[in-house]
Amino acid sequence: MIDFVKYKLDNGLVLIVHTDFSTPIAAFNLLYIVGSKNEDPERTGFAHLFEHLMFGGSANIPVFDEPLERVGGENNAFTSNDLTNYYITVPAENIETAFWLESDRMLSLAFSQKSLDIQKSVVLEEFNQRYLNQPYGDIWLYLRPLAYKVHPYRWPTIGQSPEHISRATLADVKNFFFSHYAPNNAILCVAGPVDPNEILELTHKWFGSIEPRKLANKSIPREPEQTEPRFHTLEREVPFNAIYKAYHMCNRMHPDYPAVDLLSDLLSNGRSSRLYQRLVKEKQLFSSVNAYITGDVDEGLFILTGQLYNSTTFEEAEEALSREVEELKNTLVDANELEKVKNKFEANFLFEQENVLNNAMNLAYYEMLGDANLLNNELQRYSSVTNEDIRRVAASTLDVKNSSTLYYKSKINGKG
């Protein structure tokens, strides 16, 4: 049970405070409800670009890191399809430095053509390194638009094309900033050995005068139901053939979400899981095989993927995966097998709560989902999943009509 108190300032900023005296470190987590799904289809990658721009200086503070390092703090950020998260850890007695730094960034960045050009170059290099210059790196550039035809999840967080970033003007990024990075689009969570009243006072002091802003349109088109399987083949200079299968699944707050998540764990969480034991160890069709969910807020993807041995054809790989899927649809999983993956989830969930920064991030995330207290209900949601739930969601999710399959063929050793 994570205890917290919640406030809302007049400008719309939500504040959550979790007091934890087990650590001398305080976590300051500022979540903006803007991710890649909120981007203009002709200007993708902006949320991620801001992850870099936010460290290029703000209205009154030219260098972000130096004052934080002087008080023993650290910081970082990440961007997803649904959100952008900036976080700081600092000795609790120096927490006001975090308020000073983040409130100035929310007030305004130090926009300049020079700063924009530098960060655009950094992001373009990251695009090349992550997607184009490493084996299998471009998978999501093809699998996402194969699975999604309407929803903005069809492009990756870093952007659909490097051209979108290279074309970004100073006016474009200013417009994106003032349409999304606002107190009325943010959730602040402070966790650690702190007094809620003092944190509320600091929040009023540093954020209270920032005016709410007119936010960009938040309407996101819903992906139509997929009614037939889709296929795509890539051929690259990679050492092994690989297969990727994506199935549309329910959204993050759907009652079936925990069952689908546990379904992926049954298939591939650890070396005792079904896919590893049967397809890697016993039949030796794959050198590695995996199942996971993307965990998106809107309807996400259930992914099956594996690297094939050179002796394995794509048809043999498909057939083997299909047999495992069909078994889950038609046969109830053993109670002990289900209990094992539930226990593993619970252990990981509770272990995560030992870290003050994780708690700050999670409380802010669940507040974005609708209520920070949902975090305290999550174990119950997972523990109530039955083997009949697993069979039911396997049948509804892992339907061939709902699948998008990508064959990643090796030009070097591939066997079609």
Side-chain angles (χ1 to χ4, degrees):
M1 185 78 177
I2 303 289
D3 294 322
F4 63 90
V5 289
K6 185 164 67 176
Y7 310 92
K8 188 170 186 178
L9 272 59
D10 290 341
N11 61 12
L13 178 67
V14 174
L15 169 66
I16 297 168
V17 185
H18 165 58
T19 301
D20 176 3
F21 287 104
S22 69
T23 171
I25 300 298
F28 181 104
N29 192 81
L30 188 57
L31 183 154
Y32 287 101
I33 309 172
V34 54
S36 59
K37 74 179 181 184
N38 302 110
E39 294 163 346
D40 182 332
E42 299 301 319
R43 293 180 176 82
T44 63
F46 272 48
H48 174 257
L49 175 63
F50 266 90
E51 189 184 313
H52 293 265
L53 284 171
M54 293 282 259
F55 294 97
S58 55
N60 301 293
I61 306 171
V63 180
F64 187 89
D65 288 330
E66 279 184 10
L68 187 62
E69 289 170 356
R70 282 201 298 271
V71 297
E74 297 180 350
N75 72 96
N76 212 328
F78 61 84
T79 310
S80 76
N81 303 119
D82 303 303
L83 61 92
T84 311
N85 199 78
Y86 297 87
Y87 57 92
I88 291 172
T89 53
V90 65
E93 61 269 26
N94 297 330
I95 189 67
E96 189 164 3
T97 302
F99 279 91
W100 169 56
L101 290 167
E102 288 291 7
S103 64
D104 203 57
R105 290 208 293 197
M106 183 185 284
L107 181 67
S108 179
L109 297 187
F111 291 108
S112 73
Q113 191 61 49
K114 181 181 177 183
S115 173
L116 176 59
D117 289 343
I118 290 171
Q119 297 309 328
K120 282 164 62 173
S121 297
V122 171
V123 171
L124 290 171
E125 180 59 25
E126 185 180 346
F127 191 101
N128 291 333
Q129 290 295 324
R130 191 191 298 181
Y131 288 93
L132 305 182
N133 296 337
Q134 65 170 310
Y136 312 99
D138 58 351
I139 286 158
W140 285 104
L141 296 178
Y142 293 89
L143 190 58
R144 282 190 176 278
L146 187 64
Y148 290 105
K149 300 303 176 187
V150 174
H151 195 285
Y153 285 167
R154 66 183 182 274
W155 58 79
T157 304
I158 201 167
Q160 185 171 349
S161 164
E163 291 181 6
H164 290 185
I165 295 301
S166 62
R167 291 201 305 253
T169 68
L170 205 52
D172 290 335
V173 297
K174 281 184 179 178
N175 180 57
F176 193 81
F177 177 83
F178 288 107
S179 300
H180 295 286
Y181 298 81
N184 46 322
N185 200 38
I187 299 163
L188 169 62
C189 183
V190 179
V194 295
D195 177 81
N197 292 325
E198 292 177 4
I199 295 300
L200 177 61
E201 192 175 315
L202 287 171
T203 307
H204 277 296
K205 175 182 176 181
W206 290 104
F207 287 92
S209 62
I210 302 176
E211 293 291 326
R213 294 169 185 149
K214 183 180 179 182
L215 302 178
N217 181 10
K218 292 272 189 179
S219 175
I220 303 294
R222 187 165 187 178
E223 184 67 19
E225 182 180 356
Q226 186 174 338
T227 56
E228 59 183 17
R230 300 168 185 159
F231 300 92
H232 188 70
T233 299
L234 294 174
E235 201 167 6
R236 296 285 189 269
E237 298 282 348
V238 293
F240 303 104
N241 284 339
I243 186 171
Y244 299 83
K245 297 181 74 69
Y247 301 84
H248 294 280
M249 60 169 283
C250 57
N251 66 54
R252 184 63 180 79
M253 290 312 297
H254 192 283
D256 283 340
Y257 183 92
V260 181
D261 191 13
L262 290 175
L263 172 64
S264 72
D265 288 347
L266 281 164
L267 281 169
S268 80
N269 191 345
R271 294 201 163 200
S272 63
S273 62
R274 291 185 174 211
L275 294 185
Y276 182 83
Q277 282 295 319
R278 297 176 182 180
L279 306 188
V280 176
K281 191 174 179 181
E282 294 172 17
K283 297 177 182 173
Q284 299 189 351
L285 294 169
F286 293 85
S287 59
S288 65
V289 65
N290 200 4
Y292 59 92
I293 61 173
T294 52
D296 299 307
V297 172
D298 297 338
E299 283 74 9
L301 295 176
F302 186 108
I303 307 290
L304 285 175
T305 178
Q307 283 195 351
L308 284 59
Y309 280 120
N310 289 335
S311 57
T312 306
T313 67
F314 279 110
E315 288 73 22
E316 289 169 332
E318 281 259 40
E319 185 182 351
L321 290 173
S322 178
R323 273 199 304 272
E324 298 302 323
V325 166
E326 289 305 312
E327 182 176 334
L328 283 165
K329 291 180 183 178
N330 297 309
T331 307
L332 289 177
V333 297
D334 180 79
N336 290 332
E337 187 181 6
L338 178 57
E339 196 61 30
K340 187 177 70 175
V341 295
K342 284 186 184 179
N343 289 342
K344 192 173 284 188
F345 172 84
E346 181 176 352
N348 290 335
F349 187 84
L350 295 177
F351 180 74
E352 199 173 71
Q353 294 186 355
E354 296 297 314
N355 182 291
V356 69
L357 177 58
N358 286 339
N359 288 334
M361 286 183 179
N362 284 331
L363 286 167
Y365 173 73
Y366 280 86
E367 179 64 21
M368 182 193 71
L369 292 179
D371 182 355
N373 198 48
L374 292 168
L375 173 62
N376 290 321
N377 301 329
E378 198 70 315
L379 272 184
Q380 175 58 36
R381 290 182 76 201
Y382 276 75
S383 66
S384 63
V385 172
T386 67
N387 53 6
E388 174 55 34
D389 291 329
I390 296 294
R391 191 203 60 76
R392 179 173 52 77
V393 300
S396 61
T397 305
L398 304 179
D399 185 325
V400 67
K401 297 195 299 295
N402 182 38
S403 68
S404 297
T405 303
L406 191 151
Y407 287 174
Y408 206 103
K409 295 183 70 172
S410 165
K411 285 184 180 179
I412 306 170
N413 296 310
K415 183 177 180 182

